[in-house]
Amino acid sequence: MFSNSSKYAIKAVLYLAIHSSESKKIRVKNISEPINVPQAYIAKLLQELSRHRIVSSTRGPNGGFFLSDANMKTLLIEIVNVIDGEDRLNSCLLSLHNCNSEKPCPLHDFARPFRTNFIESLEQNTIEDLARDVKRGKSFLPL
Amino acid sequence: MFSNSSKYAIKAVLYLAIHSSESKKIRVKNISEPINVPQAYIAKLLQELSRHRIVSSTRGPNGGFFLSDANMKTLLIEIVNVIDGEDRLNSCLLSLHNCNSEKPCPLHDFARPFRTNFIESLEQNTIEDLARDVKRGKSFLPL
DNA sequence: ATTAAAATATGATAAAAGTCATATTTAGGA
DNA sequence: TCCTAAATATGACTTTTATCATATTTTAAT
Ligand code: FES
Ligand code: FES
């Protein structure tokens, strides 16, 4: 479904959503441990996310990563698209490329309802929404 | 969702379901082309499937692969499990391992209803069912 | 029996995904 | 201004997945 990298990215951004703010930056060392991802790996992913303005960062002493108010509105699909590319979630289950709902492949109907639904969830929900669920005890960490 | 190998395997078995029989064996050369998978690759997968009695085969002249009546009853999940292992479809979206419906991770509810449903389809439908859909014009090839 | 045609077993190579290492740049504090 | 702490850029290494190649075994036909 997601690549490993996307899972890591989501975990990292969610961690920042819950624990960081403009006035409380977190450095990569202190992100990697609680989300259980190798430091050098998550550093690279955060840099990529930063380039796409999905997370914010400042360098130097007391620098680190954080989510701005705007960052909190990031849709989950944006994170996945940046890391995995736009095709991964949409491609045919059997990788047939000229298939669609008019000419569905033999597995199309097994998965379509779910997939549509799932992708819509990713398109409609923000990081802020996920963080809120956690705060309300609707979903759980640790990551 | 599926690995490439699983997709190939499903395509190959489905092709056999539609075109082969005990009295009409098909050799690997004549499977690989219509399903659009490299010959050496699909050969290896068919051997693995054969070892697990998901397809049948005989060697020597006029040999080849085919599906016995029993093979036609193979559940789709069996193919996937043989090729991808049993965990791939079931693991948490964020790869958290101590998560369940009691303590769902932040993405759990996005995907669970659909995933359960999808896996059930794979557990309930056989290759024969897929082939029937194709024959009835409910779903389409080519692979 | 001999030969040829097929699957089978085994392993080598290539490409992609995941992981690690390090030199450079930026920003803050002494 | 100079030093230090942080992200950034770049690239090397490792593991997994995908792909290709080949020698062996089995079976059928002559
Ligand atoms: S999943 Fe194959 S046609 Fe839609
Ligand atoms: S998908 Fe993560 S807990 Fe179920």
Side-chain angles (χ1 to χ4, degrees):
Chain A
M1 199 94 73
F2 300 137
S3 70
N4 240 326
S5 292
S6 270
K7 295 178 182 181
Y8 290 172
I10 292 171
K11 294 206 288 181
V13 179
L14 183 56
Y15 184 83
L16 288 173
I18 293 172
H19 293 100
S20 81
S21 68
E22 179 119 28
S23 60
K24 190 177 170 202
K25 293 157 192 159
I26 308 184
R27 51 204 154 158
V28 64
K29 187 181 189 318
N30 292 335
I31 298 171
S32 85
E33 195 211 326
I35 69 174
N36 204 28
V37 176
Q39 174 169 342
Y41 195 172
I42 199 61
K44 208 170 196 176
L45 290 174
L46 283 168
Q47 285 160 28
E48 178 84 8
L49 294 170
S50 174
R51 239 174 280 131
H52 287 83
R53 319 250 168 237
I54 286 173
V55 303
S56 304
S57 64
T58 64
R59 309 198 214 191
N62 302 320
F65 291 95
F66 65 98
L67 296 198
S68 66
D69 289 353
N71 293 151
M72 290 291 280
K73 308 291 187 195
T74 303
L75 297 168
L76 298 175
I77 193 75
E78 298 179 61
I79 300 175
V80 175
N81 281 346
V82 162
I83 304 295
D84 281 346
E86 313 219 345
D87 293 342
R88 184 173 178 123
L89 286 175
N90 285 297
S91 61
C92 167
L93 280 184
L94 294 179
S95 296
L96 314 183
H97 49 289
N98 38 5
C99 85
N100 51 55
S101 296
E102 306 304 307
K103 288 195 62 143
C105 82
L107 289 185
H108 187 88
D109 287 340
F110 285 24
R112 178 52 56 178
F114 156 66
R115 282 218 295 180
T116 305
N117 208 289
F118 178 61
I119 292 171
E120 277 172 5
S121 295
L122 296 177
E123 285 169 346
Q124 288 163 5
N125 286 88
T126 66
I127 275 291
E128 191 171 40
D129 296 328
L130 285 198
R132 189 183 325 113
D133 285 351
V134 172
K135 282 181 188 147
R136 289 184 178 164
K138 203 174 149 230
S139 63
F140 298 87
L141 308 178
L143 302 167
Chain B
M1 198 95 72
F2 300 136
S3 71
N4 239 325
S5 292
S6 271
K7 294 177 183 182
Y8 291 172
I10 292 171
K11 294 207 288 181
V13 179
L14 183 55
Y15 184 84
L16 288 173
I18 293 171
H19 294 99
S20 81
S21 68
E22 179 118 28
S23 61
K24 190 176 169 203
K25 293 158 192 158
I26 307 184
R27 54 204 149 153
V28 64
K29 187 181 190 318
N30 292 334
I31 298 170
S32 84
E33 195 212 327
I35 69 173
N36 204 29
V37 175
Q39 175 169 341
Y41 195 173
I42 199 61
K44 207 170 197 174
L45 290 174
L46 283 167
Q47 286 161 28
E48 178 84 10
L49 293 170
S50 174
R51 241 173 279 131
H52 286 84
R53 319 252 168 234
I54 286 172
V55 303
S56 304
S57 65
T58 63
R59 309 199 214 192
N62 304 318
F65 291 95
F66 64 99
L67 296 199
S68 66
D69 290 353
N71 293 151
M72 290 290 278
K73 308 291 187 197
T74 303
L75 297 168
L76 299 174
I77 193 74
E78 297 178 62
I79 300 175
V80 175
N81 282 344
V82 162
I83 304 295
D84 281 346
E86 314 220 344
D87 292 340
R88 183 171 180 126
L89 285 175
N90 284 298
S91 61
C92 167
L93 281 184
L94 294 179
S95 295
L96 314 183
H97 48 290
N98 38 5
C99 83
N100 51 55
S101 295
E102 307 304 308
K103 288 194 62 143
C105 81
L107 289 185
H108 187 89
D109 288 338
F110 284 25
R112 178 52 58 179
F114 155 66
R115 281 220 294 182
T116 306
N117 207 286
F118 177 63
I119 292 170
E120 277 172 5
S121 294
L122 297 178
E123 286 169 346
Q124 288 164 4
N125 285 88
T126 65
I127 275 291
E128 191 170 41
D129 295 328
L130 285 197
R132 191 184 320 115
D133 285 350
V134 172
K135 282 183 185 145
R136 289 183 178 165
K138 204 174 148 227
S139 63
F140 298 87
L141 308 180
L143 301 167

